[in-house]
Amino acid sequence: MDIALALEIEQVSRQKALEEEALRGVSAVRQFYAGTTALITGGTGFIGKQLIEKLLRSCDVKRIYILMRSKKGKSMSERLQSQLNEPVYDNLRSQQPDFTRKVIPVEGDISELGVGLNNEDRMKLAQEVNVIFHVAATTRFEEPLKKATFINVRGTREIMELAKCCKDLRSFVHVSTAFSNATKSKINHDLEEKIYESPVPPEVMIQLAETVEECRLNAITADLIRDWPNTYCFTKAIAEDVVRTMGKDLPVAIVRPPVGKYSRAFLSEIVKVETYKYVVTGHMCSLTPDLLCDDRSNPLYFPFSVVCTLNEPTPGWLDMSSVIGPSGIFLTLMLGVMHVILRSDVSIPIMPVDYVNNAVIATASYTNKRYNKNEKGIKVYNISCSGSKIETSFVSDFLNNPNTQQYATPKAVWYCYGFETSSDVVFWLLTWLLHYIPAYVADFVFNVTSMKRPEGIKSFVKMYEKIYNMSLLYGYFLRNQWNLVDDNTVAMLNQMSKTDRILFNFDVAKIDWSHYMSIWLIGIRKFIIKDGLKDSEYGRKKQSWLKIANLCYHGLFFGVVIFFVYICCAIFMYVFRSFEHAV
């Protein structure tokens, strides 16, 4: 049996044994959810997909309503059916073949007034819904302020209005972000589990977005957001204040996982480079721009600190919407595509997506328990338990980890190596040596030969320019440190029963990160590269061959560079001496 497949089976067996033992105990969380009806906004995203799966598999809910809309020529029902056929639901499908009857789409749009619900659906939700998970948001850092306000701020206000109408609301969980208050002035300071003062009163911000022309609003955005790095963090901070003011008499909690997002355009450019290398080597794989960009005029955005599952529903699960940030870096390193990373000596809050959703699910139950005890203050939970940070030297750790070679994909196109630097100058220099110069060579080869360029690629150099600029843009989070206080989260975890701590585990402090990195590797191979978790031994041997090829290439490259410098110096000296003789 292939070593990668054996690791997956071992992890599944270990988790299954724990769950079977735990199910013999009493679970307060499962009891809370039994027979309830939930409403999820953002159910089509990376976090939302796994949240739906976990609720259906482990919580015995009666039904789940998902706020959706028709998109790109697909009806709401078609989009839902397509989603429920994805691998994340395979395990659930084997246990509950008819699980789809519990998932009901409701037509709506979080950016619209009343979240776009018609009166009939609104009344039905108000009558039936017991638990609301508000996960939907635009997490695009560069989103125009008007749109970010409509979705993140006004959308939160509208979903809170719906919550107030619910006849039997037992819990409302607002999923925010650990970076909502990651301001410049708080660098190297604590980010506490409290709702900070809003940078702008929510109603004022909503009124601005509704009444001021977009071009004028864009012109004053920099002055409005001031201390905040982007419109995403700015509007999420305001949204928390909406929850504070409107949720005073409701069973409400705020959960802050380390969520932020990169541009799909960035991922698209990386994958185009990967595609090019497969073309050159004669091995075209399935990682094509079309797989990622079904609508290239509307790039989507993906989380960079909520990463693949550790256990549930299967080890290493992730989808294309999550392949950016650490997972994207690992992917490009595994394929031998990216070789230089800009970073500083800081820690990155990171969380497996199944741990995030276990915390979200437990929070709803715990909030209801507090509310019934007349503890009505809104609690905030930073989902970044002690031990959930990895150093930004994770690239070096990744490359030096023996499992990187042991679980190497046979589809790698070059030797897996990389350099990390916190210096802009060194980053620029290495980018030229390891990215730009090969890109110029590739452009030259395609321009002077009859070789056909991969579809959609006009210039490899321009693609690497976008990657370079994107690396600088997101350097704000990779080169600055905020200390996430998680006392409330730890206290909630400590109050859970042994059974619930197994079934809804989010104790990141107990994760073996070396082992998790191996799970991460096989997850990328299985769900992104899609190599079938086969031929790992061939992949390891291939890396040995590519290492020799890499040494030869760099020897030749630097030999040419030295020879070129020598020729230039010789010409300069000749011209200089000729000038001296003439004088």
Side-chain angles (χ1 to χ4, degrees):
M1 181 183 296
D2 188 274
I3 188 172
L5 185 59
L7 175 64
E8 180 188 40
I9 294 173
E10 177 191 355
Q11 185 69 15
V12 169
S13 300
R14 184 186 306 172
Q15 180 65 19
K16 186 177 180 180
L18 285 172
E19 289 185 357
E20 287 177 350
E21 179 182 354
L23 286 172
R24 289 192 284 269
V26 177
S27 167
V29 175
R30 283 169 57 89
Q31 288 177 346
F32 166 73
Y33 282 101
T36 60
T37 296
L39 168 66
I40 299 177
T41 69
T44 59
F46 178 55
I47 293 176
K49 290 176 183 178
Q50 203 271 335
L51 175 60
I52 293 168
E53 192 277 341
K54 177 68 174 182
L55 286 170
L56 290 171
R57 180 169 48 83
S58 300
C59 297
D60 194 27
V61 294
K62 182 178 180 180
R63 68 175 60 90
I64 297 175
Y65 287 109
I66 305 177
L67 191 69
M68 297 183 72
R69 58 191 173 93
S70 302
K71 191 175 181 181
K72 300 182 180 71
K74 283 188 175 182
S75 69
M76 183 177 59
S77 298
E78 288 173 334
R79 289 186 65 205
L80 179 62
Q81 187 58 49
S82 176
Q83 175 175 319
L84 297 181
N85 287 330
E86 293 181 10
V88 65
Y89 301 104
D90 287 349
N91 190 18
L92 175 63
R93 189 176 294 105
S94 66
Q95 298 177 22
Q96 304 176 31
D98 60 345
F99 78 94
T100 57
R101 65 180 177 81
K102 290 186 176 183
V103 185
I104 303 172
V106 179
E107 179 123 29
D109 187 337
I110 198 67
S111 67
E112 300 292 335
L113 289 172
V115 296
L117 291 171
N118 61 42
N119 290 334
E120 182 181 349
D121 285 340
R122 189 176 186 85
M123 290 178 62
K124 180 171 63 176
L125 294 177
Q127 192 68 35
E128 298 183 19
V129 168
N130 310 118
V131 183
I132 297 177
F133 298 100
H134 180 39
V135 185
T138 174
T139 47
R140 174 183 172 184
F141 286 166
E142 310 96 316
E143 192 76 83
L145 186 55
K146 180 184 283 285
K147 185 175 181 180
T149 300
F150 283 159
I151 297 175
N152 293 348
V153 184
R154 193 175 71 177
T156 300
R157 183 191 71 181
E158 298 302 294
I159 204 71
M160 289 295 298
E161 288 286 1
L162 176 61
K164 286 185 174 183
C165 297
C166 291
K167 306 298 183 184
D168 185 22
L169 183 70
R170 302 176 192 176
S171 198
F172 180 105
V173 178
H174 172 71
V175 178
S176 185
T177 169
F179 301 124
S180 60
N181 290 281
T183 58
K184 299 163 191 172
S185 60
K186 292 186 178 69
I187 293 173
N188 295 323
H189 288 75
D190 289 345
L191 294 182
E192 301 179 33
E193 292 174 300
K194 68 178 185 180
I195 301 175
Y196 287 83
E197 182 180 356
S198 178
V200 177
E203 287 303 324
V204 172
M205 191 65 247
I206 292 171
Q207 188 175 10
L208 277 173
E210 290 176 336
T211 59
V212 177
E213 293 180 1
E214 185 164 9
C215 59
R216 294 183 61 189
L217 196 57
N218 290 342
I220 63 173
T221 293
D223 291 330
L224 278 173
I225 69 175
R226 297 185 303 275
D227 203 22
W228 275 258
N230 51 60
T231 57
Y232 165 60
C233 296
F234 178 73
T235 52
K236 289 298 280 185
I238 300 174
E240 290 187 2
D241 197 50
V242 172
V243 176
R244 180 185 64 81
T245 56
M246 298 186 67
K248 290 179 180 178
D249 298 320
L250 297 175
V252 174
I254 296 174
V255 173
R256 292 180 183 151
V259 177
K261 293 193 178 183
Y262 279 78
S263 162
R264 171 174 272 180
F266 179 39
L267 176 59
S268 175
E269 298 302 337
I270 291 176
V271 173
K272 286 176 184 176
V273 175
E274 293 167 4
T275 304
Y276 146 67
K277 289 200 173 184
Y278 277 104
V279 171
V280 171
T281 56
H283 300 285
M284 177 63 76
C285 76
S286 60
L287 291 172
T288 64
D290 290 335
L291 180 62
L292 307 175
C293 302
D294 48 358
D295 183 4
R296 300 183 193 181
S297 63
N298 294 291
L300 299 181
Y301 293 75
F302 307 115
F304 64 81
S305 292
V306 176
V307 291
C308 73
T309 60
L310 174 58
N311 297 307
E312 305 175 82
T314 187
W317 174 78
L318 69 170
D319 63 8
M320 291 306 304
S321 70
S322 65
V323 185
I324 273 300
S327 293
I329 292 172
F330 283 2
L331 169 64
T332 53
L333 287 170
M334 287 173 68
L335 292 171
V337 173
M338 185 176 285
H339 306 296
V340 54
I341 308 296
L342 179 64
R343 60 89 176 174
S344 294
D345 293 323
V346 298
S347 297
I348 302 173
I350 200 164
M351 197 79 165
V353 67
D354 50 336
Y355 277 50
V356 169
N357 281 324
N358 284 342
V360 168
I361 290 169
T363 296
S365 172
Y366 187 61
T367 298
N368 176 262
K369 181 180 178 182
R370 290 183 60 251
Y371 187 80
N372 291 337
K373 291 181 179 180
N374 208 32
E375 298 176 18
K376 297 185 179 180
I378 297 176
K379 285 268 190 179
V380 178
Y381 301 91
N382 286 339
I383 308 300
S384 181
C385 297
S386 176
S388 66
K389 296 179 179 179
I390 60 174
E391 301 302 316
T392 46
S393 59
F394 67 88
V395 174
S396 296
D397 297 338
F398 171 80
L399 293 172
N400 294 329
N401 190 322
N403 292 333
T404 301
Q405 301 296 325
Q406 188 178 10
Y407 299 114
T409 175
K411 290 190 175 183
V413 297
W414 198 246
Y415 180 58
C416 301
Y417 74 99
F419 298 96
E420 299 170 302
T421 179
S422 59
S423 168
D424 289 334
V425 174
V426 175
F427 178 67
W428 176 84
L429 181 61
L430 288 175
T431 298
W432 265 99
L433 292 176
L434 303 178
H435 292 168
Y436 279 151
I437 292 177
Y440 275 111
V441 172
D443 279 340
F444 175 78
V445 169
F446 278 102
N447 287 335
V448 300
T449 67
S450 59
M451 291 179 63
K452 184 180 179 181
R453 287 179 179 272
E455 183 181 354
I457 300 178
K458 296 180 179 179
S459 170
F460 295 104
V461 172
K462 288 183 178 179
M463 287 190 297
Y464 272 116
E465 284 176 352
K466 291 181 180 180
I467 293 172
Y468 175 79
N469 291 332
M470 196 65 68
S471 298
L472 296 179
L473 176 64
Y474 292 99
Y476 178 81
F477 294 98
L478 295 177
R479 302 172 74 185
N480 291 310
Q481 180 76 62
W482 297 270
N483 304 314
L484 299 177
V485 177
D486 57 6
D487 294 342
N488 290 344
T489 304
V490 172
M492 176 172 65
L493 179 68
N494 290 337
Q495 291 186 41
M496 292 169 64
S497 67
K498 180 181 178 181
T499 296
D500 281 333
R501 292 183 69 163
I502 293 174
L503 295 177
F504 304 96
N505 182 24
F506 56 93
D507 188 358
V508 190
K510 293 185 178 179
I511 291 179
D512 179 342
W513 286 103
S514 178
H515 178 70
Y516 178 66
M517 188 171 289
S518 300
I519 298 295
W520 207 340
L521 289 175
I522 65 170
I524 292 173
R525 285 185 55 183
K526 180 176 181 178
F527 298 104
I528 306 302
I529 300 176
K530 299 181 180 178
D531 63 13
L533 297 184
K534 298 184 296 185
D535 300 325
S536 294
E537 179 61 22
Y538 170 71
R540 185 188 65 78
K541 292 179 179 178
K542 187 176 181 180
Q543 282 297 302
S544 299
W545 306 330
L546 290 173
K547 182 177 182 179
I548 297 172
N550 187 60
L551 290 172
C552 294
Y553 166 77
H554 281 99
L556 177 62
F557 173 76
F558 285 109
V560 171
V561 170
I562 292 170
F563 178 74
F564 179 75
V565 171
Y566 171 78
I567 293 297
C568 289
C569 290
I571 293 173
F572 175 79
M573 292 301 297
Y574 175 79
V575 172
F576 180 74
R577 287 170 182 167
S578 298
F579 179 76
E580 277 188 327
H581 288 309
V583 172

